[in-house]
Amino acid sequence: MAKDLLFEIGAEEIPAGFMPNILGFMPNILGQLKQLAETKLNDAHLPFESIATYGTPRRLALIVKGLADTSAEISERHKGPSASIAYDADGNATKAAIGFARGKGLDVADLVVEDGYIYAETKTAGVPAKDIVTDMLPQLITGLNFPKSMHWGNLDAKFVRPVRWLVALLDEEVIPVEFATVKSGNVTRGHRFLGADEITIKNAASYVDTLKENFVMVDQDARRELISKQLHDMAASKNASIVWDDDLLEEINYLVEWPTALCGGFEESYLALPDAAIITPMKDHQRYFPLVDQNGKLLPMFLTVRNGSNHSIEVVQAGNERVLRARLDDAKFFFNEDRKKPLIDRQDGLTKIVFQEGLGNLADKTERLLKLGRVFGEECGLHEDAAVVLERATELAKTDLTTGMVTEFTELQGVMGKEYALLDGESPEVAEAIFEQYLPRFAGDVLPQTEAGKVLSIIDKVDNIVATFSRGLIPTGSQDPYALRRQTIGILNILLGSEWNISLRPIFKASMELLNVAADKQEELLNQVEEFFTLRLKNIFLDREVPHHVIDLLLSNNELSVADAEGLVNALLANRIDENVELVQAYTRMYNLVKDVEYTGVNSDLLKEDAEKALFEAASKASEASLAAWEANDYNAVVAVPATLVPAINKFFEDVMVMDKDEAIKANRLQLVRLAYSVMAIIGDISALK
């Protein structure tokens, strides 16, 4: 008879960002818990109907429904030695057969002979579900990965937060589990202030409803839906709209167990501040949702969510208003102080801010960016007007880091730079580029849209990446304290969305020179940076579900620009030459012959056979067509050319002996093969499709 399994880990408050995959973290505890349980049950061959995970600030829960009583019986067939070795001439079992049977727990008479070999057929009886889950549940606790874990007391055990209780039930039966001296039972805890200190869970099926009776909405999806409804209903009652943020909703969802929305207000005088100076303290520091009117103008109101009921809600509202008022007072003070000096007069302050250890200060970085911007501008053919904007924006780019506002609210770097630049009378284009230098700030963020903003964003990130690599601080595993992966993906996404068909290699080299990287170290560093970029580009294509071998084909060509890779990947997906078996075989055969041959030209006078003359004519035309298409960025044509040569290639290999005894003819034929292969080499290394 099928049963339900409940496993709850009760802990002190778990960081909200660790639960799902948001806020720049990637632990996704709930996803991990579900995947671990599913994998272990499948490995144990224990059938089940469904798995669900639930999470609140104080608990992680797993519910497996329809768990079978026992695991499935496992039948296995093991191949042994050949029959000629297993039995002698008289048909008697040898030591080889006897040993093989003993190793499988069988009598030698139970062995089966098929296809000239002996086989042992074994069966493993099913294991009771209770035994399986008793072994499994402790492994679920220790198998979870967190960005940071804690030890407590003098215990060796570690978890994201100290574990205070465990509930483990198979229907109503308690499964014995122990972790960090805490033993499992059927007793959980309700809401910290509204629920009972101890609550008995009668059986796994009653878990969600029992907790709800004690002011805990354990189902995060239902909780999220309720929060969203409460917020939107309250905003509508104020004739206002919410400055919505899905990540903020997700974070709030894991800060509360019993949500109740409330509306607070603040003095209208604060609206004289830039919107960003008001919204950032609300969202990033207080977890409030700002409100705007029907015209999108910020209102002196906010929404937030309380972890509790509406009892004494006005007291909670007043407390939230008081905290926000203090934050806005700080913002107002810093804003007024900052406005006493324009951005251009803050450049001297950059000398006091260290960029990276041993690599100078932000004034030094600004000088590098000015020079790097000129190099990039020449490479991409930046329009003169955009170049002027870029120069001015670069001069001012880091100056807002010296302001009190950004020092207090670091999230406003670039944002306040734009605001202050406009107030200083700088052009809107310059102000926008100052803001766009930090884009994209996170996965899925908007990309810079102005030409100057794109260039400034790219060169700023290149300088950060090359500088960090030059110090030997290359990201490994999950460690990436300087967010170099994010910055690299940002550069690639900007280039993928632009019209610039440029190589980053000259930019990397210029950056190394400006950072005074020793000449004998530059080649190695260049290779490391390019490899890092190539792997990030591969991940971008994988996220778009481009087949692995298609990506490998493209990225085997280290001469490709990002725009070339984008154009070719789209062309290859439209014209799947990787699925053309005859084409792949033909070019693979050529590749094996000429992979180490440098093309120096074909001597037509040495062409004797009709097939090689025909291939020379076809390859010459195809090579010209391929190069012309490449110059025109006609990637569909580039990808289509190789197929046109396949008949001539096949005929050539049928009729012509490439490795002729005459060395001159042999060498010439290899040159011919090299010429024909060039229409594939322009795309990538055909061996990637093997």
Side-chain angles (χ1 to χ4, degrees):
M1 181 178 177
K3 297 181 179 180
D4 294 342
L5 171 68
L6 164 66
F7 185 47
E8 182 190 56
I9 306 169
E12 295 183 11
E13 272 70 7
I14 301 169
F18 287 12
M19 300 292 263
N21 184 9
I22 60 166
L23 304 176
F25 294 105
M26 297 190 69
N28 193 4
I29 299 175
L30 296 179
Q32 285 188 55
L33 182 59
K34 182 177 181 180
Q35 183 62 49
L36 271 172
E38 189 172 300
T39 299
K40 291 187 178 298
L41 290 174
N42 287 334
D43 289 347
H45 304 282
L46 183 60
F48 59 89
E49 292 177 5
S50 65
I51 293 182
T53 52
Y54 300 110
T56 78
R58 301 179 69 203
R59 69 199 77 227
L60 300 171
L62 168 77
I63 294 181
V64 183
K65 291 186 176 181
L67 199 64
D69 285 334
T70 60
S71 62
E73 183 181 77
I74 304 172
S75 297
E76 295 180 285
R77 205 162 191 258
H78 309 275
K79 186 177 182 180
S82 65
S84 61
I85 295 174
Y87 300 99
D88 61 21
D90 297 327
N92 298 315
T94 65
K95 290 183 179 180
I98 295 171
F100 175 67
R102 186 186 302 115
K104 302 304 177 186
L106 299 175
D107 188 274
V108 71
D110 296 326
L111 298 177
V112 177
V113 178
E114 284 185 17
D115 303 324
Y117 290 87
I118 62 172
Y119 292 87
E121 296 180 349
T122 61
K123 291 185 178 181
T124 303
V127 179
K130 180 181 178 181
D131 294 345
I132 293 173
V133 298
T134 300
D135 291 336
M136 179 186 78
L137 296 184
Q139 296 173 31
L140 296 185
I141 304 176
T142 58
L144 297 175
N145 294 311
F146 314 104
K148 292 182 180 179
S149 296
M150 292 181 63
H151 291 278
W152 57 97
N154 58 357
L155 302 174
D156 292 330
K158 61 181 181 179
F159 199 66
V160 62
R161 288 294 183 269
V163 173
R164 295 309 185 202
W165 75 89
L166 295 170
V167 175
L169 294 175
L170 190 59
D171 276 351
E172 67 281 347
E173 183 181 4
V174 173
I175 303 298
V177 179
E178 183 172 351
F179 178 76
T181 73
V182 178
K183 296 182 179 181
S184 62
N186 62 351
V187 177
T188 185
R189 302 180 188 178
H191 188 280
R192 187 179 291 277
F193 305 112
L194 304 177
D197 288 339
E198 293 189 353
I199 305 163
T200 299
I201 305 296
K202 294 180 180 178
N203 52 53
S206 65
Y207 173 71
V208 174
D209 289 339
T210 302
L211 278 177
K212 194 171 184 179
E213 292 169 0
N214 284 270
F215 302 94
V216 176
M217 289 188 68
V218 73
D219 185 337
Q220 64 275 1
D221 294 333
R223 199 167 62 242
R224 184 189 305 108
E225 184 177 347
L226 177 61
I227 293 171
S228 180
K229 183 178 186 305
Q230 287 181 353
L231 291 172
H232 282 96
D233 287 349
M234 189 162 287
S237 71
K238 305 294 182 182
N239 196 29
S241 298
I242 304 171
V243 180
W244 194 253
D245 187 320
D246 286 331
D247 284 349
L248 180 57
L249 171 65
E250 199 71 359
E251 183 178 11
I252 290 173
N253 190 31
Y254 292 100
L255 289 173
V256 299
E257 291 192 321
W258 192 258
T260 300
L262 63 91
C263 181
F266 55 90
E267 291 80 357
E268 289 194 29
S269 61
Y270 291 119
L271 294 178
L273 292 168
D275 285 359
I278 302 171
I279 291 174
T280 296
M282 277 192 197
K283 291 173 61 175
D284 295 352
H285 293 260
Q286 301 306 130
R287 279 56 175 177
Y288 299 165
F289 281 95
L291 292 175
V292 295
D293 63 19
Q294 302 307 311
N295 297 317
K297 184 179 178 181
L298 199 62
L299 293 170
M301 293 188 293
F302 63 87
L303 300 180
T304 189
V305 179
R306 176 194 188 180
N307 183 23
S309 67
N310 60 4
H311 177 71
S312 299
I313 196 75
E314 65 282 353
V315 177
V316 179
Q317 175 186 329
N320 280 276
E321 292 173 341
R322 185 170 58 254
V323 172
L324 179 60
R325 188 178 302 112
R327 282 287 186 182
L328 294 180
D329 276 337
D330 288 344
K332 185 176 181 179
F333 170 78
F334 290 125
F335 178 77
N336 290 334
E337 288 297 305
D338 291 343
R339 291 304 304 135
K340 294 177 180 179
K341 184 188 292 188
L343 290 179
I344 194 65
D345 291 343
R346 292 181 172 275
Q347 290 179 315
D348 289 345
L350 296 177
T351 61
K352 301 175 183 178
I353 303 177
V354 174
F355 168 54
Q356 286 194 34
E357 183 181 349
L359 295 175
N361 51 50
L362 289 186
D364 300 322
K365 179 179 176 70
T366 299
E367 286 300 314
R368 290 197 303 272
L369 293 182
L370 286 167
K371 295 173 182 177
L372 205 55
R374 297 183 192 112
V375 174
F376 195 99
E378 291 176 4
E379 289 292 325
C380 70
L382 193 66
H383 191 273
E384 184 177 349
D385 291 344
V388 172
V389 172
L390 173 63
E391 185 96 2
R392 184 62 172 177
T394 305
E395 290 176 348
L396 302 175
K398 304 302 176 184
T399 53
D400 70 341
L401 298 179
T402 69
T403 65
M405 185 72 82
V406 175
T407 300
E408 178 70 13
F409 304 107
T410 56
E411 306 91 335
L412 290 176
Q413 63 179 4
V415 177
M416 293 313 300
K418 174 182 177 179
E419 296 290 344
Y420 289 151
L422 291 172
L423 291 170
D424 289 347
E426 300 290 344
S427 71
E429 293 79 12
V430 168
E432 190 64 22
I434 292 172
F435 167 69
E436 290 182 333
Q437 67 177 304
Y438 296 108
L439 300 181
R441 295 156 297 187
F442 48 83
D445 193 16
V446 294
L447 299 175
Q449 298 301 309
T450 67
E451 296 296 282
K454 291 176 185 177
V455 177
L456 185 53
S457 176
I458 290 173
I459 61 176
D460 181 44
K461 293 173 176 60
V462 166
D463 183 75
N464 292 339
I465 294 164
V466 175
T468 309
F469 268 60
S470 72
R471 295 175 58 205
L473 302 177
I474 302 173
T476 57
S478 61
Q479 301 301 311
D480 187 10
Y482 293 92
L484 300 188
R485 292 188 181 94
R486 174 179 59 77
Q487 293 184 69
T488 300
I489 292 172
I491 292 172
L492 293 171
N493 280 325
I494 292 170
L495 290 175
L496 288 169
S498 76
E499 299 297 322
W500 296 328
N501 191 345
I502 61 171
S503 170
L504 285 172
R505 184 170 296 176
I507 316 302
F508 295 150
K509 289 182 176 179
S511 180
M512 292 176 197
E513 292 289 344
L514 293 168
L515 285 160
N516 298 316
V517 176
D520 60 341
K521 301 290 185 182
Q522 289 189 14
E523 190 62 29
E524 179 184 2
L525 183 58
L526 178 63
N527 291 335
Q528 290 173 337
V529 172
E530 288 188 327
E531 183 180 349
F532 191 74
F533 270 72
T534 297
L535 184 56
R536 306 284 85 72
L537 183 59
K538 181 175 183 177
N539 290 337
I540 288 173
F541 287 148
L542 286 173
D543 288 342
R544 286 160 52 174
E545 299 185 351
V546 178
H548 281 268
H549 57 277
V550 171
I551 299 172
D552 292 340
L553 172 65
L554 288 176
L555 300 185
S556 65
N557 185 348
N558 57 16
E559 298 298 323
L560 292 183
S561 68
V562 176
D564 289 335
E566 171 75 348
L568 284 174
V569 78
N570 291 330
L572 284 167
L573 292 177
N575 182 5
R576 296 296 297 274
I577 63 173
D578 57 302
E579 296 179 347
N580 186 333
V581 176
E582 189 177 11
L583 181 150
V584 173
Q585 289 176 343
Y587 282 92
T588 299
R589 192 171 182 182
M590 288 196 295
Y591 170 80
N592 291 333
L593 285 171
V594 299
K595 58 185 175 182
D596 298 321
V597 175
E598 182 180 353
Y599 183 67
T600 58
V602 177
N603 184 346
S604 59
D605 293 336
L606 293 178
L607 300 176
K608 305 299 182 183
E609 305 290 342
D610 289 343
E612 62 181 331
K613 292 177 182 177
L615 179 58
F616 177 59
E617 182 179 357
S620 298
K621 292 179 180 178
S623 181
E624 290 178 6
S626 184
L627 287 172
W630 187 261
E631 291 296 325
N633 297 328
D634 186 351
Y635 300 106
N636 286 316
V638 171
V639 170
V641 169
T644 65
L645 278 184
V646 171
I649 294 168
N650 290 339
K651 182 65 174 173
F652 171 80
F653 282 123
E654 288 173 8
D655 297 354
V656 178
M657 175 66 70
V658 177
M659 299 303 182
D660 195 88
K661 294 179 181 179
D662 187 320
E663 288 296 324
I665 293 177
K666 170 186 170 182
N668 197 56
R669 286 174 177 170
L670 287 173
Q671 287 296 307
L672 174 57
V673 174
R674 181 72 236 186
L675 173 64
Y677 183 73
S678 68
V679 300
M680 175 58 67
I682 201 171
I683 300 172
D685 184 346
I686 191 66
S687 65
L689 298 183
K690 287 183 180 180

